[in-house]
Amino acid sequence: MTETIKTDAVIVGAGPVGLFAVFELGLLDIRAHVIDILDRPGGQCAELYPEKPIYDIPALPVVTGQGLTDNLLEQIKPFSPTFHFSEMVTGFEHLPDDRFLLTTDGGKRFDTKVVVIAAGGGSFQPKRPPIPGVEAFEGKSVHYAVRRMEAFRGRRVLIVGGGDSALDWTLNLAPVAGRVTLLHRRDAFRAAPDSVNKMRALVEAGVIDLTLGQAVELIGEDGVLEAVRVKRDDGSTHEIATDDMLPFFGLTMKLGPIADWGLQLDENLVPVDTEKFETTTPGVFAIGDINAYPGKLKLILSGFHEAALMAQAAARRIDPQRRIVFQYTTSSSSLQKKLGVA
């Protein structure tokens, strides 16, 4: 039986608003666990437009999605949040003692007093490759995320894609897997130039293989891959022997399992009040693009405001007897001590 993690707050979503929620809760001595389906923090800012400039963050005339993420991670360092990446919350249960039990597809269990949904427009879910019968191999030999690198030790791994995720895992798995083959439809990549250069160096050295074409058929039985048939631009085909395939075809946004939590929904958004940003279920809060209320603006700065008010309400729920005195970081020595600047 997996050990249950007991905590005061769980934040679902590690985008900018979820990260700032860590900060606001931390100022009130509430340490958070953060769960995200992606393999890194930043949400859509870091995943969809890491180098795209953002112009409407207060006091930052221009910042990239990755730059904003990096700054937020630096800001929350004093509060040492625990991150659980590449995990989706699949189970939600309201316990008799007015706490909540969350379970993930990675087998983790969280017993928490407060749940903060900061999942943007929902959870990022991988796009399934257009290969007939791929569903039968999913979870056995076709994987959309790397949860444990050791699971691929000594195995033949086919990585499909040309973006950052595909290149990153090609480089990371090269010293672990028995053989890594990178498959992309053309000899041009959308990944960071440094990653592309490192990949080409490994190909030149004979450490990994690069194949151009498209996967059109999976060969194997009972979900166990033996080979993948690849079609070249000239119409010819050949087979690549492989034990595991990692397709990185991008991500799509879906509300996901949150739709089954029993929350009141409005066109796939979660209605909240504007005093606490609490949902219709007391103790469950929603901040950022996933919530709905009159006058809502889907801006990061709006999510930051919502996180601040949510934290005050969450603190009162976690400890109803606690007297909360509002303080400014500019003048409070106790807050400055928490931040490590005093």
Side-chain angles (χ1 to χ4, degrees):
M1 178 69 70
T2 302
E3 180 183 356
T4 300
I5 300 169
K6 193 164 186 176
T7 183
D8 285 330
V10 169
I11 300 170
V12 182
V17 174
L19 295 178
F20 192 65
V22 171
F23 180 81
E24 289 296 328
L25 290 169
L27 291 178
L28 295 167
D29 298 316
I30 301 168
R31 189 169 176 270
H33 285 258
V34 185
I35 306 171
D36 200 290
I37 192 172
L38 297 177
D39 61 1
R40 67 194 83 183
Q44 63 178 339
C45 263
E47 191 69 21
L48 301 184
Y49 46 92
E51 297 182 359
K52 185 177 179 181
I54 304 171
Y55 299 101
D56 59 357
I57 302 299
L60 295 175
V62 59
V63 65
T64 64
Q66 188 59 56
L68 178 62
T69 299
D70 292 342
N71 286 343
L72 286 163
L73 289 171
E74 183 66 28
Q75 188 176 34
I76 65 176
K77 270 186 180 178
F79 304 118
S80 302
T82 302
F83 288 101
H84 306 269
F85 294 122
S86 299
E87 302 249 4
M88 177 190 287
V89 177
T90 53
F92 172 87
E93 182 182 350
H94 199 164
L95 301 175
D97 60 356
D98 211 21
R99 296 176 66 89
F100 303 95
L101 179 65
L102 302 183
T103 54
T104 73
D105 59 353
K108 291 179 182 173
R109 296 159 53 90
F110 299 84
D111 180 339
T112 181
K113 187 69 173 177
V114 163
V115 177
V116 182
I117 307 171
S123 62
F124 285 100
Q125 298 192 17
K127 292 180 181 177
R128 178 177 283 152
I131 304 173
V134 66
E135 298 89 345
F137 294 87
E138 291 174 345
K140 296 180 181 178
S141 52
V142 172
H143 313 277
Y144 296 104
V146 177
R147 299 197 187 282
R148 290 191 315 110
M149 288 178 58
E150 278 298 312
F152 300 96
R153 181 166 293 281
R155 294 173 68 81
R156 299 167 299 177
V157 179
L158 177 67
I159 297 176
V160 188
D164 284 310
S165 293
L167 270 291
D168 286 349
W169 285 116
T170 296
L171 298 176
N172 289 329
L173 289 174
V176 177
R179 191 70 180 181
V180 171
T181 300
L182 176 63
L183 172 64
H184 190 42
R185 66 185 186 280
R186 58 194 178 95
D187 194 18
F189 299 88
R190 305 181 309 279
D194 181 62
S195 297
V196 176
N197 292 337
K198 288 178 179 177
M199 177 273 293
R200 292 196 187 280
L202 291 177
V203 173
E204 183 69 22
V207 176
I208 65 172
D209 298 315
L210 171 62
T211 298
L212 302 182
Q214 298 187 60
V216 294
E217 182 184 353
L218 304 184
I219 301 168
E221 295 181 358
D222 299 324
V224 178
L225 266 179
E226 296 175 8
V228 175
R229 190 179 303 281
V230 173
K231 183 178 181 180
R232 302 184 182 95
D233 281 347
D234 63 7
S236 63
T237 64
H238 69 287
E239 294 180 7
I240 299 175
T242 187
D243 301 307
D244 300 283
M245 185 175 82
L246 298 171
F248 295 105
F249 281 37
L251 301 164
T252 185
M253 292 287 288
K254 293 183 179 179
L255 189 59
I258 292 173
D260 302 319
W261 287 15
L263 304 174
Q264 177 184 331
L265 298 178
D266 180 9
E267 295 184 354
N268 277 337
L269 296 174
V270 183
V272 294
D273 64 61
T274 52
E275 177 189 359
K276 304 182 295 292
F277 294 93
E278 195 168 33
T279 69
T280 52
T281 300
V284 179
F285 301 83
I287 56 178
D289 285 358
I290 201 164
N291 72 15
Y293 56 86
K296 167 72 178 185
L297 291 177
K298 290 191 174 184
L299 296 171
I300 294 173
L301 65 90
S302 299
F304 289 167
H305 157 77
E306 296 161 11
L309 293 186
M310 172 280 299
Q312 298 289 317
R316 288 191 288 272
R317 176 177 173 82
I318 290 168
D319 185 0
Q321 306 304 316
R322 177 183 175 186
R323 180 172 174 267
I324 299 175
V325 178
F326 182 73
Q327 302 177 77
Y328 295 101
T329 57
T330 51
S331 57
S332 169
S333 59
S334 63
L335 292 183
Q336 291 171 6
K337 185 175 181 181
K338 293 174 188 177
L339 296 172
V341 296

